[in-house]
């Protein structure tokens, strides 16, 4: 049984992140040119990569909404998971890799630091802009979190358009703080090494976030089950039916953030009339979907039916 797909909301968090990161990237590159700061250059690269990543997530969201066709009978929902994996790889390679390279190069060949005024102005603006983008992304995530603990919900989230932006914005705010510390210490002690060290730390932060996102995206791409609460709920709904003797299997797989495939193997009572079984199955599917609207396709294997053939 295929159930109707509700209208999905616009990815506000992604739009907010793209706008903020593009403006911030331009400002950071300007400050880097004006002051010669390696940390600011790393931050500029970081924001530019985040801008591109947001655009790729939009591509994934758009492609994931394409309807099912002959070659993709279950739809294109996993497009978002593919593009989120690309985002994580780019964050690791371009964001983390370039920041580490710039930092190490700056440590090996320290450059004379210029007036830090532009750095402080841009970092202040970046902190406010990144904070607003982070707040918007976090607000979207908290809508999905429900009553779960934050880290549990974050790890269990199946929506890369939200958890990827939250992770990136958290890394962005951390990067701004590290860059500020690096610039401040560099000028306070008149030692450009602090600036290079800050760039290396920013690179490590980005690489760490990227590795986390790669692991999460890979799991979703190869097919993750629905969460344990959903599985228990589905089994409880089925077992409450007086005509069902046993539920052998509840197999689920995410086809997208809000698209779950369900396959169940159940056994009916021997005295259950064959003519009543389709009605019972229809009612069961309706009850399951009512409590778990993310389940779009349901396939139920009934042992009693096979025995009667």
């Amino acid at each position: 049984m295929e159930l109707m797909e509700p209208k999905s909301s616009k990815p506000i968090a992604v739009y907010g992140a793209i706008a903020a990161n593009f403006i911030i990237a331009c400002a950071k590159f300007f400050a880097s040119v004006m002051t010669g700061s390696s940390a600011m250059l790393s931050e500029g690269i970081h924001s530019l990569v985040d801008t591109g990543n947001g655009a790729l997530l939009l591509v994934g969201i758009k492609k994931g909404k394409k309807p099912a066709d002959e070659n993709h009978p279950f739809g294109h929902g996993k497009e978002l998971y593919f593009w989120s994996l690309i985002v994580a790889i780019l964050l690791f390679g371009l964001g983390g890799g370039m920041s580490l390279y710039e930092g190490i190069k700056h440590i090996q060949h320290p450059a004379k630091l210029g007036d830090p005024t532009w750095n402080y102005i841009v970092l202040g603006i970046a902190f406010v802009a990144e904070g607003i983008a982070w707040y918007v992304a976090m607000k979207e995530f908290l809508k999905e979190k429900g009553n779960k603990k934050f880290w549990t919900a974050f790890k269990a989230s199946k929506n890369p358009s939200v958890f990827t932006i939250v992770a990136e914005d958290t890394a962005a705010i951390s990067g701004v703080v590290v860059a500020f510390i690096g610039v401040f210490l560099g000028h306070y002690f008149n030692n450009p090494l602090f600036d290079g060290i800050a760039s290396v730390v920013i690179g490590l932060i980005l690489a760490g976030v990227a590795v986390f996102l790669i692991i999460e995206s890979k799991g979703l791409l190869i097919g993750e089950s629905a969460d344990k609460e959903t599985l228990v709920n589905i089994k409880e709904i089925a077992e409450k039916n007086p005509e069902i003797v046993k539920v052998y299997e509840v197999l689920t797989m995410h086809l997208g953030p809000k698209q779950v495939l369900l396959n169940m193997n159940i056994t009916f009572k021997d005295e259950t009339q064959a003519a009543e079984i389709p009605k019972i199955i229809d009612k069961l599917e309706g009850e399951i979907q009512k409590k778990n609207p993310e389940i779009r396709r349901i396939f139920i294997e009934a042992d009693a039916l096979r025995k009667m053939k």
Side-chain angles (χ1 to χ4, degrees):
M1 176 180 180
E2 181 180 359
L3 299 162
M4 294 207 44
E5 182 175 345
K7 294 181 180 179
S8 55
S9 58
K10 293 182 178 180
I12 298 174
V14 182
Y15 288 127
I18 291 174
N21 284 319
F22 179 73
I23 295 171
I24 293 169
C26 294
K28 286 176 180 176
F29 281 129
F30 173 77
S32 174
V33 171
M34 296 296 292
T35 64
S37 171
S38 174
M40 287 303 296
L41 179 59
S42 295
E43 274 296 289
I45 294 170
H46 174 194
S47 295
L48 187 62
V49 171
D50 282 354
T51 303
N53 287 347
L56 289 178
L57 283 177
L58 287 180
V59 170
I61 292 170
K62 183 177 180 180
K63 287 182 174 292
K65 291 179 179 178
K66 291 171 62 177
D69 54 39
E70 186 177 350
N71 293 323
H72 302 87
F74 292 106
H76 296 76
K78 287 194 175 185
E79 282 272 6
L80 179 56
Y81 297 155
F82 168 76
W83 289 105
S84 67
L85 178 63
I86 299 299
V87 163
I89 293 172
L90 289 175
L91 185 63
F92 182 85
L94 294 180
M98 289 297 293
S99 296
L100 284 169
Y101 170 77
E102 284 296 327
I104 293 172
K105 186 176 76 171
H106 201 76
I107 292 172
Q108 292 175 336
H109 307 286
K112 185 178 179 180
L113 295 175
D115 187 344
T117 303
W118 276 110
N119 286 340
Y120 292 135
I121 293 173
V122 171
L123 286 173
I125 295 172
F127 187 81
V128 173
E130 297 285 13
I132 293 172
W134 180 86
Y135 172 78
V136 172
M138 187 60 67
K139 191 175 180 181
E140 290 296 305
F141 172 70
L142 292 177
K143 287 180 183 178
E144 297 184 357
K145 184 178 78 71
N147 297 322
K148 297 178 183 177
K149 293 182 179 179
F150 180 86
W151 183 245
T152 301
F154 192 77
K155 286 279 291 178
S157 176
K158 313 298 182 184
N159 190 353
S161 67
V162 175
F163 73 70
T164 298
I165 296 299
V166 170
E168 285 189 346
D169 287 347
T170 301
I173 293 174
S174 302
V176 169
V177 173
V178 170
F180 175 85
I181 294 173
V183 171
F184 174 78
L185 292 178
H187 285 85
Y188 184 82
F189 293 104
N190 194 28
N191 188 343
L193 286 178
F194 286 104
D195 195 64
I197 292 171
S199 184
V200 170
V201 173
I202 291 169
L204 292 175
I205 290 173
L206 295 180
V209 171
V211 169
F212 168 77
L213 293 177
I214 288 171
I215 293 172
E216 290 299 306
S217 298
K218 177 219 171 192
L220 291 168
L221 194 57
I222 63 177
E224 278 192 5
S225 168
D227 59 64
K228 291 183 179 179
E229 291 180 6
T230 300
L231 297 178
V232 171
N233 179 259
I234 292 170
K235 192 171 183 179
E236 287 178 348
I237 291 173
E239 290 178 340
K240 283 180 181 178
N241 192 300
E243 300 297 326
I244 296 175
V245 176
K246 189 173 181 61
V247 179
Y248 289 97
E249 290 179 313
V250 178
L251 306 177
T252 60
M253 182 173 67
H254 268 270
L255 303 175
K258 296 294 182 181
Q259 302 176 39
V260 177
L261 169 69
L262 167 63
N263 187 82
M264 296 177 64
N265 188 351
I266 61 179
T267 298
F268 288 95
K269 290 181 178 179
D270 291 337
E271 58 268 26
T272 303
Q273 298 296 316
E276 294 298 315
I277 289 180
K279 297 178 183 179
I280 297 171
I281 290 177
D282 283 343
K283 182 181 178 182
L284 176 60
E285 289 173 342
E287 291 174 349
I288 291 173
Q289 198 272 338
K290 184 178 180 180
K291 292 288 183 65
N292 305 277
E294 70 276 12
I295 296 176
R296 303 289 170 76
R297 291 175 178 268
I298 302 178
F299 298 93
I300 296 180
E301 298 180 45
D303 284 347
L305 282 175
R306 293 200 295 269
K307 291 175 183 178
M308 292 176 185
K309 292 181 179 179

